[in-house]
Amino acid sequence: ENFEYMFSLPDTMRVLWNTLKIAVLKIAINFPIPIIIAILLNEVKSRKFKKSVQTIIYLPYFISWVILSGMILDIFSLDGVVNQILGNFGVNPIFFMGDKKPFLGLLIGTDVWKNFGYGTVVYFAAITSMDTSMLEAAQIDGANGFQKIRYIILPTLKPTMVVLFLFAIGGILKGNFGLFYNLVGNNSVLFSTTDIIETYVYRSMMNSFNFAQSSAVGLFQSVVGFFIVLGANAFVKHLDPDYALF
């Protein structure tokens, strides 16, 4: 009955579509960025610069969504820093918190900004742990920087890339409640494009206190994520069995 109720809600399909759309966009943006930055950091010779950059990009990962969302709301408000800078160039203020299109980009960008530092550190650790003799041999053979990245570094990162990708798509139906709740709040103007399963269920359950229905939604998300991981792992195993998780 709880599952029937969940799928009978008038906004179920819209909420599912928003959850999938936002999750896919976040994966598409947040998956390659840490790889690119980790490779660029590996090419830098200064050790102090590497450590400084890693610290700066990793810092947002430790900031709570409450504080980070407050910072974003202040920076991108009508009288915030961004609109003040745009005003100096004669650009009219942009209502980021009330316009669906710019707010969706702001929402995804905030999530990417907070989390890409973690992925960068993971990939950079994988690069630094690789056998440097392969890079030295390639350099002796006349390989340039791009060739070393393409034929040595990227193949070395494949296992890490597969694991992180499977983790990402496994939670494709589990949106980031902290981000959406603190950044969107009760702004009903944005619900049509930013309302995800967690926020929709939260508002519904706050009125009825029906924990059985919310548990059904959580089970649905977990089961779907489990089968998505199985399917993605089977696809990876078909391409190259060495990189599959199981």
Side-chain angles (χ1 to χ4, degrees):
E1 292 176 354
N2 291 322
F3 286 104
E4 290 177 357
Y5 173 79
M6 178 180 66
F7 286 104
S8 65
L9 293 173
D11 297 322
T12 298
M13 297 310 298
R14 174 180 62 81
V15 172
L16 281 173
W17 167 247
N18 286 342
T19 305
L20 285 171
K21 176 184 66 176
I22 294 173
V24 169
L25 288 173
K26 287 194 299 184
I27 293 173
I29 298 173
N30 202 25
F31 185 73
I33 288 179
I35 301 173
I36 295 172
I37 296 179
I39 292 174
L40 291 176
L41 280 177
N42 185 61
E43 297 299 316
V44 176
K45 303 300 181 183
S46 174
R47 190 174 180 182
K48 290 184 178 180
F49 181 80
K50 289 181 182 180
K51 289 186 175 181
S52 300
V53 171
Q54 288 183 72
T55 302
I56 292 171
I57 64 177
Y58 199 21
L59 185 61
Y61 185 77
F62 296 99
I63 302 176
S64 70
W65 280 117
V66 177
I67 298 174
L68 196 64
S69 299
M71 293 168 55
I72 296 298
L73 290 173
D74 287 338
I75 293 172
F76 289 92
S77 62
L78 280 175
D79 56 350
V81 176
V82 173
N83 277 317
Q84 290 180 9
I85 294 174
L86 293 176
N88 293 333
F89 291 95
V91 181
N92 294 327
I94 300 174
F95 192 17
F96 290 98
M97 304 304 159
D99 195 338
K100 301 172 185 177
K101 290 184 178 180
F103 184 81
L104 183 60
L106 178 63
L107 191 73
I108 297 172
T110 302
D111 186 89
V112 172
W113 174 50
K114 188 178 190 300
N115 294 308
F116 86 93
Y118 172 80
T120 300
V121 171
V122 173
Y123 285 118
F124 186 71
I127 293 175
T128 54
S129 63
M130 65 182 293
D131 187 2
T132 56
S133 62
M134 293 188 295
L135 294 174
E136 293 171 356
Q139 187 173 2
I140 293 173
D141 290 339
N144 56 35
F146 289 104
Q147 289 173 329
K148 287 188 288 185
I149 292 171
R150 179 180 177 183
Y151 295 108
I152 299 176
I153 295 179
L154 287 179
T156 303
L157 292 178
K158 273 187 179 181
T160 307
M161 292 164 61
V162 169
V163 171
L164 293 183
F165 180 72
L166 290 177
F167 283 164
I169 64 171
I172 198 169
L173 286 184
K174 290 185 177 291
N176 193 327
F177 178 78
L179 167 64
F180 286 81
Y181 181 73
N182 288 287
L183 204 57
V184 180
N186 294 317
N187 191 348
S188 57
V189 176
L190 304 171
F191 284 168
S192 60
T193 56
T194 61
D195 206 13
I196 60 172
I197 294 175
E198 276 83 357
T199 54
Y200 184 73
V201 170
Y202 174 78
R203 290 198 311 273
S204 302
M205 296 306 108
M206 283 298 291
N207 295 326
S208 62
F209 294 98
N210 193 326
F211 297 104
Q213 292 172 358
S214 60
S215 299
V217 174
L219 178 61
F220 169 74
Q221 291 173 296
S222 299
V223 171
V224 171
F226 174 71
F227 283 106
I228 290 177
V229 170
L230 287 180
N233 184 76
F235 178 72
V236 172
K237 191 173 184 179
H238 175 73
L239 294 178
D240 193 336
D242 293 335
Y243 295 120
L245 290 180
F246 46 86

